[in-house]
Amino acid sequence: MNFPLYIAKRYLRSASKNNAINIINGIASVGIVVGAMALFVVLSVFTGLKDFSLSFSNDFDPDLKIFNNTGKSLQATPEQLSKISKINGVSAASRIIEERVLFLFDGKEQVTYIKGVDSLFSKVNPVKKNIYQGEWFEPHTNQVVVGYGICQKLSLGLFDFNHPFEVFVPKAGKGTIENPESAFNKCKLAPVGIYAISEDLDSKFVFADLTLTQSLLEFQPNQISAIEIKVKPESNEKEIISQIQGVFNNNVTVKNRAQLNDSLYKMLNTENIAVYLIFTLVIIIALFNLIGALIMMILDKKKNLKTLFNLGTEVKDLRKIFFLQGTLLSVFGGIFGLILGIGIVLLQQQFKLIMITPTLAYPVIFSFLNVVIVLATIISLGILASWIASSRVTKKLLEDI
């Protein structure tokens, strides 16, 4: 029989004759339970907020994007595009052109990006599902799809034939501009759709046909800004990137979705770590109650400890009694708090108890990683607190009785 564990379980189950010690034990237990519950709920909330924030950019960002290493444009031949499409794990590949240009409508100006896309773009990016009004443009036409934010700034509507929607692109070249009219390539566009995703993205793009954009920018037929790729589920991303580099003789840069949103990922991860550290500090403060409770228990049981010591129990085993008692209290308190936290998260997911807006529930996501993080945090800090408290059991303490 494990003697220290047996005594520790007895002390854990039984109440002390001293009511003050029972109150301190209760406070310590509640602190561990509430700390574990709060930490899990907060981590679940931030996981939900992270997923919610990234969902907006995921509507525009592809799984992989190919850029030229040197320069703003990329030469992609039909043969190279064919080789990319045949790579195992690639679902679709779309050529795109992105350039910052000037749009003019009814005397109002807006500088933003025109994004020229080919017919395969809808297979790479699910932007069509975000069409707020109208429809997607027809290939090889002057039709465009405009962001809701751009429409608001320009007071732009669909099928407005009284006021032309124009785009102006500076012509390439050197020297002094003598005639401003001849300094720009311009074209009248026909807005046929409006997309709506988020405030930032709704003011970023005007989608147009790839050939129209190439004409405006005076690009060659094979000249584009980048290639966006849709990857099949469960595919080996590193292997796909390696094969793409082989197609272009390592003259391109290939970025995944996380790398395309590097600053956003870093910001969200930093916030998550900061919140975790803050609540861990709260748990550390709560565990001071555990240290105090164990020390009070040691003082209350001094006579019993003296008897056990005289019967031949070593000091290290007496320390182990309170070390195990504190550890068990941390484990059981952490598990119980975790169960309560999981219950709160599941209730929010199922019944949407807390709302951000009348139609948007506060996003929370249950994650087994968060379960592991909470248990590891509570148990490790509980073990440390128990070790600190149990170290008060010394030979000198027993001899002073």
PDB file of all heavy atoms in Angstrom, residues 175-183:
ATOM      1  N   GLY A 175       9.915  59.849 -69.397  1.00  0.00           N
ATOM      2  CA  GLY A 175       9.864  61.182 -69.980  1.00  0.00           C
ATOM      3  C   GLY A 175       8.752  62.029 -69.402  1.00  0.00           C
ATOM      4  O   GLY A 175       7.971  61.607 -68.550  1.00  0.00           O
ATOM      5  N   THR A 176       8.675  63.257 -69.876  1.00  0.00           N
ATOM      6  CA  THR A 176       7.696  64.229 -69.384  1.00  0.00           C
ATOM      7  C   THR A 176       6.333  63.981 -70.020  1.00  0.00           C
ATOM      8  O   THR A 176       6.233  63.694 -71.217  1.00  0.00           O
ATOM      9  CB  THR A 176       8.157  65.658 -69.708  1.00  0.00           C
ATOM     10  OG1 THR A 176       9.466  65.858 -69.179  1.00  0.00           O
ATOM     11  CG2 THR A 176       7.209  66.685 -69.093  1.00  0.00           C
ATOM     12  N   ILE A 177       5.297  64.106 -69.208  1.00  0.00           N
ATOM     13  CA  ILE A 177       3.927  63.953 -69.702  1.00  0.00           C
ATOM     14  C   ILE A 177       3.462  65.286 -70.271  1.00  0.00           C
ATOM     15  O   ILE A 177       3.336  66.285 -69.539  1.00  0.00           O
ATOM     16  CB  ILE A 177       2.979  63.498 -68.578  1.00  0.00           C
ATOM     17  CG1 ILE A 177       3.428  62.136 -68.029  1.00  0.00           C
ATOM     18  CG2 ILE A 177       1.544  63.432 -69.073  1.00  0.00           C
ATOM     19  CD1 ILE A 177       2.633  61.681 -66.835  1.00  0.00           C
ATOM     20  N   GLU A 178       3.244  65.339 -71.578  1.00  0.00           N
ATOM     21  CA  GLU A 178       2.810  66.576 -72.220  1.00  0.00           C
ATOM     22  C   GLU A 178       1.287  66.678 -72.274  1.00  0.00           C
ATOM     23  O   GLU A 178       0.722  67.755 -72.129  1.00  0.00           O
ATOM     24  CB  GLU A 178       3.397  66.653 -73.635  1.00  0.00           C
ATOM     25  CG  GLU A 178       4.928  66.707 -73.646  1.00  0.00           C
ATOM     26  CD  GLU A 178       5.475  66.787 -75.056  1.00  0.00           C
ATOM     27  OE1 GLU A 178       4.654  66.747 -76.013  1.00  0.00           O
ATOM     28  OE2 GLU A 178       6.711  66.891 -75.206  1.00  0.00           O
ATOM     29  N   ASN A 179       0.633  65.565 -72.479  1.00  0.00           N
ATOM     30  CA  ASN A 179      -0.828  65.566 -72.570  1.00  0.00           C
ATOM     31  C   ASN A 179      -1.378  64.600 -71.523  1.00  0.00           C
ATOM     32  O   ASN A 179      -1.229  63.381 -71.673  1.00  0.00           O
ATOM     33  CB  ASN A 179      -1.273  65.152 -73.968  1.00  0.00           C
ATOM     34  CG  ASN A 179      -2.791  65.202 -74.112  1.00  0.00           C
ATOM     35  OD1 ASN A 179      -3.506  65.635 -73.218  1.00  0.00           O
ATOM     36  ND2 ASN A 179      -3.274  64.749 -75.276  1.00  0.00           N
ATOM     37  N   PRO A 180      -2.025  65.107 -70.449  1.00  0.00           N
ATOM     38  CA  PRO A 180      -2.551  64.214 -69.402  1.00  0.00           C
ATOM     39  C   PRO A 180      -3.529  63.176 -69.939  1.00  0.00           C
ATOM     40  O   PRO A 180      -3.634  62.070 -69.408  1.00  0.00           O
ATOM     41  CB  PRO A 180      -3.250  65.182 -68.438  1.00  0.00           C
ATOM     42  CG  PRO A 180      -2.592  66.506 -68.676  1.00  0.00           C
ATOM     43  CD  PRO A 180      -2.240  66.520 -70.129  1.00  0.00           C
ATOM     44  N   GLU A 181      -4.246  63.509 -71.002  1.00  0.00           N
ATOM     45  CA  GLU A 181      -5.223  62.573 -71.551  1.00  0.00           C
ATOM     46  C   GLU A 181      -4.555  61.310 -72.100  1.00  0.00           C
ATOM     47  O   GLU A 181      -5.117  60.222 -72.057  1.00  0.00           O
ATOM     48  CB  GLU A 181      -6.023  63.260 -72.666  1.00  0.00           C
ATOM     49  CG  GLU A 181      -6.990  64.328 -72.174  1.00  0.00           C
ATOM     50  CD  GLU A 181      -8.143  63.734 -71.394  1.00  0.00           C
ATOM     51  OE1 GLU A 181      -8.534  62.588 -71.698  1.00  0.00           O
ATOM     52  OE2 GLU A 181      -8.644  64.397 -70.474  1.00  0.00           O
ATOM     53  N   SER A 182      -3.348  61.496 -72.644  1.00  0.00           N
ATOM     54  CA  SER A 182      -2.649  60.364 -73.232  1.00  0.00           C
ATOM     55  C   SER A 182      -1.756  59.625 -72.244  1.00  0.00           C
ATOM     56  O   SER A 182      -1.072  58.673 -72.612  1.00  0.00           O
ATOM     57  CB  SER A 182      -1.789  60.856 -74.411  1.00  0.00           C
ATOM     58  OG  SER A 182      -0.796  61.770 -73.951  1.00  0.00           O
ATOM     59  N   ALA A 183      -1.762  60.058 -70.968  1.00  0.00           N
ATOM     60  CA  ALA A 183      -0.909  59.434 -69.954  1.00  0.00           C
ATOM     61  C   ALA A 183      -1.563  58.221 -69.317  1.00  0.00           C
ATOM     62  O   ALA A 183      -0.908  57.507 -68.550  1.00  0.00           O
ATOM     63  CB  ALA A 183      -0.548  60.457 -68.882  1.00  0.00           C
TER      64      ALA A 183
END
